[in-house]
Amino acid sequence: MVTLKELAKILNVSVSTVSKALNDSPEIGERTKTRILELAKELNYRPNRIAQQLKANQTKTIGVIIPTVLNPFFAEALHGIEQEAAVSDYDIIVCLSDESLDKEIRSVELLSNGSVDGFVIALSEETQIKDYNKHLVELKLQNLPVVLFDRSIPSFKGHYVLVDDFQSVYDVVKHLIEKEHRKHILLLSNIEDLSVGKRRIEGYEEALKEHDLTASVLNLNRESDLRKSIGTFLDNNPQADAIISIDHLTGVIALNYLKEGGKTIPNDVSVVGFGSPSTQILTNPEMAVIYQRAEDMGKASMNLLGKILSKDKTLREKQSLNRIKSALLKGETII
Amino acid sequence: MVTLKELAKILNVSVSTVSKALNDSPEIGERTKTRILELAKELNYRPNRIAQQLKANQTKTIGVIIPTVLNPFFAEALHGIEQEAAVSDYDIIVCLSDESLDKEIRSVELLSNGSVDGFVIALSEETQIKDYNKHLVELKLQNLPVVLFDRSIPSFKGHYVLVDDFQSVYDVVKHLIEKEHRKHILLLSNIEDLSVGKRRIEGYEEALKEHDLTASVLNLNRESDLRKSIGTFLDNNPQADAIISIDHLTGVIALNYLKEGGKTIPNDVSVVGFGSPSTQILTNPEMAVIYQRAEDMGKASMNLLGKILSKDKTLREKQSLNRIKSALLKGETII
DNA sequence: TTGTATGCGTTATCAT
DNA sequence: ATGATAACGCATACAA
C-alpha cells in the first residue's frame, strides 16, 4: 500500500503537506497541490481506511446480526439494509446467529470493540423465547446505537422497526369472512414461538371470535415432515374453505396438497400465505400473500440507524470525551 | 471505550506492562498480572480492534462480493462463507453487486484500501458478459488474495471454486435417456448468459447429440412473464417427456404448469431442476433436483482463501517490507 | 520484572 | 504556504 509518507518522501515535502493537499486544503499552494495529486493518482494512492477509522474514532461500518440468510425474509431484509447502507457510504459486517442466543451474544461482543458504529439486529428465536437482553443493554451502556427489526422482546426498550402483524392478519381473516363468506378458516404456522407468530395468531383468533367462528391452528415449529403433517391436518378438516399460513412455507405446501386432492384454488379453498412477490411465482394459481415488506423493513432499519448516528451527539461526545480523558490522564485540570 | 492507557493510569503501571499482562506475557509477574486482569475484567476492557488492525497490518476481515442475496443459491453460499469464516475468526464485509459491473468495481475499490485481507467474489453477470478483469488484476497487483466462485471469466486466471456444470447436466440427461427412456427432453433456462448456464446447456446438447436426439432450449433470461412463456413453450411441445431446468425457478413453474394440465409427474413427464433440498419442498411430488451445493461452495471458497492467507508469505513480506520501507525512508542502507 | 520508545497511517494543531 | 509534532490505541524491541 502506498502511504502518505512515501508520497512525501518522493516529492521532498512533509507528510502533512501531502495530507492537506489530498484533502484539498486551501492552505496548500496550487502548484504543489497538482504535483501531489498527480503523483497520488499515478501511484494509485488510497488512504488507509483503518488508519482513518482509528483517527476518527468512527468506522462507517454497521454490524448486522440476523438469524439466517436462508430464510427469504431475512435475505430480503439484508438486501434492503445493504442498499440503504450503500447510499450513506456505510459498510456492513454481517453475522448470522442461526437462531442461537449464544452465537448472537458472541457476535455482539465480537463487534462491539470498535469494529462498528452501530447495529441492526433481528433477534434470534432463542433470544426471544428467553427474553434475554443483557447483550443489548451492554451496547446501550457503550453508547452503541442499536435498531432491532421484525422481532421484539418485552424486556428491552429501544428502537424497533416492526410491522403490525396482529392487524395484518386480522384484516385478512376479516376479509375472508365478510367478503368471501368463508366459515372454516384454518391457520398453519411454523413460527408460533416468535413474537410475530404469536401476534399473527392473535389477529386470526380475534377476527374469528368477533364472528363467532372457531379457531383451528396447526403448530409445526418443531415438526420435521411438514408436508405429511399438513396433509393429515387438512384431511382431518375437510370442511375447510380457507387456509391462512403465517409463514413463507406452509401456505405453498398446503396449496399444492389441496390442488393434488382435486380442490380448486381459490374457489373451493382460499389460500393466503405470508411472503413476498417472489414467493407467489412458485404456485399456480398464485397464492394470495400478505406482502411482508422485508426489504422495506431492512431499509427502514438502516435508515433509522443512520439518522441516529448522524444526529446523535455520541460522536462529538466521544471526541470531546477523548480530549477530557487525555487531559485527565496527563493530570491536567478540566475547567 | 476503556483503553490500555486508562488501565495503566489507574494501576500506576505503564501501558506496556498492561498490554503484556493482558496478552499473558511471561515477562510479567503473577501478582501484577492478576491485578491487571481483574481490573480489566471489572471495567470490561476490550482491545480496540481497529488499533490492532492498524498495528498488525491485518484486519481479519474478508470482503465478500456477490450479485445478490435474493437468489437462494447465493444466500446459501453466503451462509457457507460466513460459517467457514467464523471458525477461523474472520469477519465478513458483504457487498452486493446487483449483477452490475459498476457496483462490483466500486465495491472492490471500496474494500481494497486496507479494509480487508482478501476477497471472496462471485462475479456479476455483466462482468461475465463483458469479460472484464481489470479490478481483479488490480487486486493481484496489491497482493490481495481473491477466490472466485461459481462464475468464471476466460480472461482472468486465479483461484476458482467451481462445480463441473457440464458434467452434472450431461450425466442427468444421459440418465434420462438411457435409464428412463426419454426421447423429447426440453431445456428451460433463465441464466443462459452466465458461464454456468452456457456450460449446462452444452452438457445437455452433448448428451442429446450422442443419442441423436434434437435439443430444444427455451431461453428466458430477459423474459418478464416466466409462467406465460413457459406455458406456451410446453404447449408447443406436447410430445415432451422430460424437462430439465438449469436454474432454480423455471423447473418449479413448469412442474406446476404440467400438473395443472393433467400430466402426472414423473410418469408422464420427468422434471429435473437445479437447486437445493429447500427448493424441493415447494413442489409435490418433489421435483428431482441437481443438488447445487451452494453452501459447500461457499465454505470451500472461504476455506481456500483462509489457507492462502495463512500460508502465503504475503503477511510476513508485508511486515518485512514495511521495515525496509521505513529504513529507506530514513535514508538507511539495506543489506 | 517493569518501563521507555517507536511505529502502524492518518489528521489536526500549532509553529515557522 | 509549508513543516514539525502529537495523537488515535495497541504491540513490541530494547533499556533499565
Side-chain angles (χ1 to χ4, degrees), chain B residues 12-192:
Chain B
N12 264 318
V13 292
S14 81
V15 172
S16 56
T17 304
V18 178
S19 173
K20 287 171 186 166
L22 291 174
N23 288 317
D24 201 26
S25 158
E27 294 181 41
I28 305 297
E30 280 309 320
R31 270 218 328 288
T32 32
K33 213 182 257 184
T34 16
R35 275 176 62 210
I36 293 173
L37 250 34
E38 274 172 11
L39 183 67
K41 175 153 235 171
E42 190 186 326
L43 298 189
N44 191 22
Y45 166 80
R46 327 253 308 286
N48 182 314
R49 185 107 182 287
I50 301 295
Q52 285 181 320
Q53 292 176 348
L54 180 60
K55 178 73 186 159
N57 196 24
Q58 203 210 16
T59 61
K60 272 284 187 179
T61 303
I62 301 299
V64 176
I65 306 177
I66 54 180
T68 171
V69 80
L70 301 181
N71 178 329
F73 173 77
F74 289 114
E76 285 176 35
L78 177 59
H79 192 248
I81 294 170
E82 201 271 350
Q83 284 199 336
E84 190 68 22
V87 306
S88 324
D89 273 325
Y90 273 96
D91 285 344
I92 58 173
I93 291 189
V94 177
C95 294
L96 274 20
S97 69
D98 283 326
E99 303 286 10
S100 137
L101 171 58
D102 216 59
K103 279 199 76 177
E104 183 176 299
I105 294 176
R106 261 182 294 156
S107 298
V108 167
E109 283 176 352
L110 214 67
L111 297 183
S112 60
N113 54 4
S115 297
V116 301
D117 294 343
F119 287 87
V120 172
I121 302 179
L123 266 12
S124 82
E125 192 170 340
E126 196 182 347
T127 312
Q128 274 205 305
I129 293 173
K130 299 189 174 163
D131 194 7
Y132 184 96
N133 68 9
K134 287 215 179 64
H135 54 319
L136 303 175
V137 172
E138 188 58 39
L139 291 181
K140 263 194 175 170
L141 255 43
Q142 297 187 39
N143 256 314
L144 278 169
V146 187
V147 171
L148 300 171
F149 75 97
D150 184 51
R151 300 175 177 183
S152 63
I153 53 175
S155 68
F156 183 76
K157 306 303 173 200
H159 300 284
Y160 280 104
V161 172
L162 303 169
V163 291
D164 192 338
D165 289 284
F166 177 93
Q167 194 64 37
S168 60
V169 172
Y170 174 87
D171 288 343
V172 166
V173 175
K174 197 170 168 187
H175 171 90
L176 287 172
I177 297 169
E178 297 178 358
K179 307 292 178 193
E180 302 195 14
H181 311 295
R182 305 294 172 172
K183 300 225 173 309
H184 299 99
I185 306 175
L186 273 33
L187 184 143
L188 267 34
S189 152
N190 70 351
I191 55 166
E192 62 273 9

Side-chain angles (χ1 to χ4, degrees), chain B residues 300-312:
Chain B
S301 307
M302 181 60 223
N303 190 277
L304 175 54
L305 183 59
K307 287 201 178 115
I308 296 170
L309 282 171
S310 60
K311 194 172 296 183
D312 208 7

Side-chain angles (χ1 to χ4, degrees), chain A residues 111-314:
Chain A
L111 296 182
S112 59
N113 55 4
S115 297
V116 300
D117 294 342
F119 288 86
V120 171
I121 302 178
L123 266 13
S124 83
E125 192 171 340
E126 195 182 348
T127 312
Q128 274 204 304
I129 293 173
K130 298 189 175 163
D131 195 8
Y132 184 95
N133 68 9
K134 288 215 179 63
H135 55 319
L136 304 174
V137 172
E138 187 59 37
L139 290 181
K140 263 195 175 171
L141 255 44
Q142 297 188 40
N143 257 313
L144 278 168
V146 187
V147 171
L148 300 171
F149 76 97
D150 184 51
R151 300 175 176 182
S152 62
I153 53 174
S155 67
F156 183 76
K157 306 303 173 199
H159 300 284
Y160 280 104
V161 172
L162 303 169
V163 291
D164 192 338
D165 289 284
F166 177 94
Q167 195 64 37
S168 60
V169 172
Y170 174 87
D171 288 344
V172 166
V173 175
K174 198 170 165 186
H175 171 89
L176 287 172
I177 298 169
E178 296 179 357
K179 307 292 179 193
E180 303 195 12
H181 312 294
R182 305 294 171 172
K183 300 226 173 308
H184 299 98
I185 307 176
L186 273 34
L187 185 143
L188 266 36
S189 152
N190 70 352
I191 55 165
E192 63 272 10
D193 282 346
L194 301 179
S195 59
V196 297
K198 292 199 180 70
R199 294 283 295 154
R200 287 173 194 170
I201 294 176
E202 285 166 16
Y204 162 78
E205 289 172 337
E206 177 62 23
L208 288 186
K209 197 174 127 198
E210 288 180 7
H211 292 81
D212 285 321
L213 296 174
T214 50
S216 187
V217 174
L218 177 64
N219 285 329
L220 295 161
N221 201 12
R222 283 158 196 98
E223 209 65 47
S224 58
D225 191 340
L226 288 179
R227 177 165 302 137
K228 195 175 160 197
S229 309
I230 291 172
T232 310
F233 183 66
L234 293 177
D235 290 342
N236 292 342
N237 291 276
Q239 79 290 12
D241 51 15
I243 312 282
I244 178 158
S245 153
I246 61 168
D247 53 74
H248 69 284
L249 200 56
T250 55
V252 179
I253 296 173
L255 186 141
N256 284 328
Y257 185 87
L258 289 169
K259 264 173 55 185
E260 191 176 349
K263 298 280 190 186
T264 309
I265 314 294
N267 287 352
D268 295 341
V269 185
S270 297
V271 181
V272 182
F274 263 81
S276 67
S278 69
T279 315
Q280 277 173 293
I281 202 172
L282 295 174
T283 65
N284 187 5
E286 289 186 4
M287 179 177 68
V289 301
I290 298 175
Y291 181 19
Q292 218 185 345
R293 293 176 305 155
E295 196 170 315
D296 287 342
M297 284 185 72
K299 279 189 190 169
S301 306
M302 181 60 222
N303 189 277
L304 176 54
L305 184 59
K307 287 204 177 112
I308 295 170
L309 282 172
S310 59
K311 195 172 295 180
D312 208 7
K313 280 135 202 158
T314 316

